[in-house]
Amino acid sequence: MIKHLICVSALLLGFAITVSAQDSVPKNPMKAVPFTDVKLEDTFWKPRLETNRTVSIPHNYKWCEDTGRFDNFAKAAGLMDGEFRGIYFNDSDVYKLLEGTAYSLAAHPDPELEAAADKVIHWIAAAQRENGYLNSYYTLKEPDKKWSNTPVMHELYCLGHLTEAAVAYKQATGKTVLLDVVEKAIDHVIDTFGYEEGKKREVPGHEEIELALVKLYDLTGKEKYLTLSKFFIDIRGDQSKRTNRLQGIYQQDHKPVREQDEVVGHAVRAMYLYAGMTDIAAKTGDEALIHAVGKLWDSVVRHKMYITGGIGARHAGEAFGDDYEMPNDTAYCETCAQIGLALWAQRMYLMRHGRVETERIVEVRAEDLPPRARRRYGPGDFTDIDIVERVLYNGVLPGYALEGNLFFYPNPLSSKGNYGRQPFFDCACCPTNVVRFIPSIPGYLYATQGNTIIVNQYISSTATIELPDGVVTIKQETDYPWDGKLKFTFESVPNENAAEKFAMHFRVPNWGHDQQYGFGYIAPITVKWGEKFVQNIGFAMPVKRMVANPKIKNDNGRVALQRGPLVYCFEKCDNPDVDFANLTLAKEQDFQVEWKPDLLGGVNIIKCQDVEGRELVAIPYYAWAHRELTGMDVWVKQDGLPRKPKADDPVWSDTEWDGLLYRELDPATMFGESDPLTMQELTIVKASYCYPNDSVQAVFDGLEPKNSNDHDLPRLTWWNHLGTNEWLELHFDSPQQLSTFRVYWFDDEPRGGGCRIPASWSLSYRDGDKWVPVKTDDAFGVVKDRYNTVKFDSVETPSLRLDVKLQPGVSGGVLEIQVE
C-alpha cells in the first residue's frame, strides 16, 4: 500500500485559476483510452450496460418507430409515402440512438441490433440530397427554406449528433456508410457557411456540431473539419463577424466566447458549446480560449452546481439561474445537461492535465499542504475529473429507471411525491441521450500521456492500453461504489526499444481526501515492462454530512449525506413514522451502513437518527422514485445548524467558504443553538391540484416575487386546468390569530404561457368542521405585480382556505402568500 504521498500538479492545486501554458500546444497531450479498449466486468455498471442493450435501446427503437422518427427518413428518401411527423429536430433522437447502439456493439456484439441499426442507416443515406443536405423535416415539410432559420431550426444541431453517431459506428463496427453520409453532409455545410463572400456567417441556435466536428477531425485527420468547428466558435457572440443578428444569452450568443465568464442561458446548449470550445483550445493552444473556458468552469462548479452534479436551476428556458440559485423541489437539472457537464468535465481534464508533462508532477505530503489548502481541497471541492464521477453516479444515473424503460427529464432534489419517470417524451432528448451515454462509460476510465497511464474512474474491468513503448493489460477489481478497496493487476509486452519501466497514476477522489492520501493523484508507481505486477489501493468510505454555502438559501440549516461517490436521499416510504416535511437529524450520529441485496437492485442503505432518536433510512439518490411515489429530500434539516447563518459569523463568512459550494460538516465549529421552526416550515399546504413541475409548498416559503411573471421563483400553478374552480389550504401547526391575508398571483403574460390572474377568489377560515367566509369590506383583488391584500375581522383558526375561479380558457397560479 502506498502511504502519505500524493501527486498533485500545479493545475490541481489551483484548478480554479486560469491555465497558462508554456507552449501553445502540448507536445505530449493526454488522451482518453478509447471505449473500444476497455471491457467492464463489475456488478454495478456492467448490468446497467446490459440493461441498456437489452431494454433501453430496444425501448427507444420502438418509440422512434411508433412516433414516426424512422419513417421520416424513409419518406424523405421516397421509400414511403406520407408527411413529416413530430418536432422539427426529431432526427437528432435517431442519431443519438445510433451512437448508443455503436457503443453497445463495441462492448457486446449483437447481430440483431446491428442489423436494426444498419436498416435505419440505409434510410438515412437514402434521404440525403445530392448536394449532401440531410434533414428530414425540411426535405418533407419546407424544401425551399433550408438554412433559412439557423438560430431556431436545429439543422446543424442534428448534423452534430449524426456526426458523433457516424464516428462511433465506424469505431465500433468498422462500417463507413454513415461516415460517408456525414462527410458529404459536412462538406455541404462548408460550402454554405464560412468567411468567404456569399456564405452564411451564422451559428447554430443549439450548439453541438462544434464538438462533433472535432471528433470527425480526430478520426479522419482532415483539417477542414477542425477549421469549421473553430469558425462556429469564433463568430458566436461577435456581431462584427456575423451576417445575422446575435441571439442573446439563451443561446450563449450575447458576446464573443473569449469574453464570456459566466455560464448562462439554456444549460444543455451551454455544455455542448463549452465542450467544443475546450476541444478547440486543446487542439490549437488558443490562450484566450483557454482562459475563457477556465472562467466558465469556475462559474459553474463554484456558483451554479448542485451537490448531485445537476445544473440548470430554472424550468423557464431550461436555464441556469443566478449564482447560488439552487431550489430543490423545483430544480430543473435536466438529464441532458448533466450528461453535457460530464462531456465538458472530461475535456477540461484532458486539456488541463495534458498541458502539464507527467514528469513535472510534484509529490506533496498531505500534512505539508498549507492549512487553507487542507481545508479547501477536501470533500467539498471538485476537480474536473471528480465531477465526471459525481455526474456518473448522481447526475446521469437517476435519469433512467433500473428497469431501463422509464426516464426523468428534470431531476429535482426534493419531491412531495407527485413526480415519477416516464417511458418517453414528445421532446425525447433525454431518453436517447441516456442510451448513448451509458455505454460510453468505458471510455472514461483511463487516460495516457506518453508512457504513463492515469486511472481516473474505478470500475472492475479489463483494459488493453497501447503506449509508445508497448501494450499494457490492466485488470481492475473492486466492489466500487459500495467499497473503496481496489486491486490492479498489470501485464505488459514491451516494444524492442522500450524503456525499462512505464508509470501509473491513481486518482484520489475528492471525497477520499484524508491524511493517508491527501488530494489529487497518488505518487506514480513505476512498473517494469514484461513483469506481472499487482497493486492494492484503498479509500475509506465514511458517511459524511455535507453542508452548503450559506448563500444557497434553500439549503440553510440542512445537510446532505454522502458516502464515497454517492449522494443519498430520504424517501417517505422508508421513513413512514416521522413528520417528513420537518425531518431533522440529531447532532450526534452513529451512522450504520447496511447492504441490502434485494432492495433497488442491491444498495447500501444508511441508518441514522432524527432529533427525537427515531431511526431513519437513506438510500442512494439515483435509486429514488422506484417504488411508490412518496416524498423525497436530499437536503434535510440538521439540529444545531442555523437556518439563517449570520454573515459576520466566521464559520459562514465568504472568506471561509472562498467560492466553495459544499463542505463536510464540522460539528466543533458549525453546531450551535437550533433556530426554532418558522411558521412556513410548520404549515402544511394543500391544493386542489398542482402541476408536477411546480410546488405546493412554494406559495408559503417566504420568497419575495419581483413581479407576477417571475420565473426565477418556485410557484404553484393549476396548469393545465382551464377555467376551473381550484383551491389552496394552509394548515397551521397550532391555531393562529389572523386578520390579514396577502396573495401574489402568477401570470406569465406576455411570455406566452397559459396562466393568468384569476377571475375571482374568496377566503374562508376553519371553524370546527366547517369553512366559514371571512368578514371583510375589502375587495378580493386580482391585480398583477403586487400583493393583493384583504384585511378581515380577526379570527383564531387552525386553517385558511383560498377558493379561486380561473378565467375561461386559461389556468392560473400563486407565487406567494402572507398572513398576519
Side-chain angles (χ1 to χ4, degrees), residues 626-639:
H626 277 93
R627 297 166 290 176
E628 56 184 303
L629 296 182
T630 61
M632 181 279 295
D633 281 303
V634 170
W635 292 96
V636 295
K637 296 181 179 70
Q638 171 62 62
D639 185 34

Side-chain angles (χ1 to χ4, degrees), residues 423-727:
F424 212 64
F425 306 91
D426 289 338
C427 176
C429 56
C430 291
T432 52
N433 221 348
V434 166
V435 300
R436 78 164 178 142
F437 183 77
I438 293 297
S440 75
I441 287 173
Y444 288 81
L445 269 66
Y446 298 96
T448 63
Q449 188 178 34
N451 282 304
T452 298
I453 298 172
I454 304 96
V455 185
N456 289 314
Q457 305 301 334
Y458 297 113
I459 302 174
S460 287
S461 56
T462 297
T464 302
I465 301 174
E466 187 171 347
L467 299 178
D469 283 2
V471 176
V472 180
T473 300
I474 302 176
K475 185 175 181 63
Q476 182 181 163
E477 299 171 82
T478 180
D479 195 24
Y480 207 87
W482 312 117
D483 190 279
K485 295 177 182 177
L486 304 151
K487 178 182 178 182
F488 292 87
T489 303
F490 307 98
E491 296 187 60
S492 58
V493 179
N495 298 332
E496 284 187 12
N497 299 317
E500 182 183 1
K501 299 177 180 180
F502 62 91
M504 294 291 306
H505 291 262
F506 300 88
R507 176 178 64 96
V508 178
N510 72 319
W511 53 262
H513 167 82
D514 57 24
Q515 288 300 307
Q516 180 178 0
Y517 292 117
F519 181 82
Y521 285 81
I522 296 173
I525 300 167
T526 55
V527 183
K528 283 189 176 182
W529 280 104
E531 288 187 3
K532 186 173 183 178
F533 183 82
V534 177
Q535 178 66 48
N536 293 299
I537 297 173
F539 302 120
M541 286 189 173
V543 177
K544 300 177 185 289
R545 279 182 283 187
M546 306 298 293
V547 291
N549 188 303
K551 292 181 179 178
I552 306 176
K553 300 299 184 184
N554 299 84
D555 300 335
N556 287 173
R558 295 174 179 266
V559 295
L561 300 187
Q562 180 177 328
R563 181 179 183 270
L566 296 175
V567 173
Y568 277 69
C569 69
F570 294 86
E571 282 198 286
K572 175 68 173 175
C573 57
D574 293 315
N575 304 277
D577 299 327
V578 300
D579 174 8
F580 195 75
N582 292 304
L583 187 154
T584 305
L585 298 190
K587 291 181 181 178
E588 299 295 327
Q589 289 290 343
D590 178 22
F591 291 110
Q592 299 293 320
V593 178
E594 187 176 326
W595 174 247
K596 293 286 187 180
D598 299 323
L599 178 65
L600 299 166
V603 295
N604 272 334
I605 64 169
I606 296 175
K607 292 183 176 180
C608 54
Q609 297 76 42
D610 77 353
V611 72
E612 303 295 332
R614 292 169 295 201
E615 183 177 86
L616 302 173
V617 172
I619 64 167
Y621 170 69
Y622 76 75
W624 82 279
H626 277 93
R627 297 166 290 176
E628 56 184 303
L629 296 182
T630 61
M632 181 279 295
D633 281 303
V634 170
W635 292 96
V636 295
K637 296 181 179 70
Q638 171 62 62
D639 185 34
L641 285 184
R643 287 185 173 78
K644 293 186 177 180
K646 295 180 174 60
D648 58 355
D649 186 336
V651 175
W652 306 105
S653 68
D654 288 348
T655 301
E656 180 70 13
W657 283 84
D658 193 23
L660 284 180
L661 285 176
Y662 311 103
R663 290 172 53 191
E664 185 178 2
L665 173 72
D666 181 1
T669 61
M670 294 180 176
F671 277 158
E673 293 297 321
S674 295
D675 294 335
L677 294 175
T678 64
M679 176 186 283
Q680 282 90 351
E681 290 174 311
L682 291 169
T683 299
I684 297 172
V685 184
K686 296 182 179 180
S688 53
Y689 171 75
C690 179
Y691 178 57
N693 288 343
D694 293 333
S695 166
V696 175
Q697 201 68 32
V699 304
F700 204 54
D701 60 9
L703 299 179
E704 288 292 318
K706 295 190 292 287
N707 52 57
S708 288
N709 198 12
D710 190 344
H711 280 69
D712 299 343
L713 290 183
R715 59 187 177 271
L716 173 143
T717 69
W718 291 288
W719 177 259
N720 55 358
H721 291 193
L722 309 178
T724 51
N725 295 318
E726 306 292 344
W727 54 263

